[in-house]
Amino acid sequence: MHIGELIARKRGRPVAGESKTAISLRVPDSVLAGFKATGPGWQTRMTDAQAEWLRAQGPA
């Protein structure tokens, strides 16, 4: 790696895929506990479940 590559590189996590927006979402404690019980990566699995529901239902 030379100095030009070091200057061009940005700090932080690399951008991957679709951008995301932080929100506040209220879910039942049992639903949250169920996803957390699946271990690390539960947030991604929760997002995947929501995306799958949206694909099945179609846009409103």
Side-chain angles (χ1 to χ4, degrees):
M1 189 177 319
H2 69 288
I3 193 74
E5 291 175 358
L6 290 174
I7 293 171
R9 187 179 288 188
K10 292 183 180 179
R11 297 183 67 169
R13 188 176 285 219
V15 176
E18 186 177 354
S19 64
K20 298 177 182 177
T21 302
I23 64 166
S24 176
L25 178 68
R26 295 175 59 88
V27 297
D29 290 340
S30 59
V31 171
L32 183 58
F35 275 98
K36 284 185 171 184
T38 64
W42 65 268
Q43 293 103 328
T44 300
R45 285 188 291 281
M46 186 178 250
T47 299
D48 291 345
Q50 292 168 340
E52 178 59 33
W53 182 89
L54 187 58
R55 281 190 294 274
Q57 299 301 311

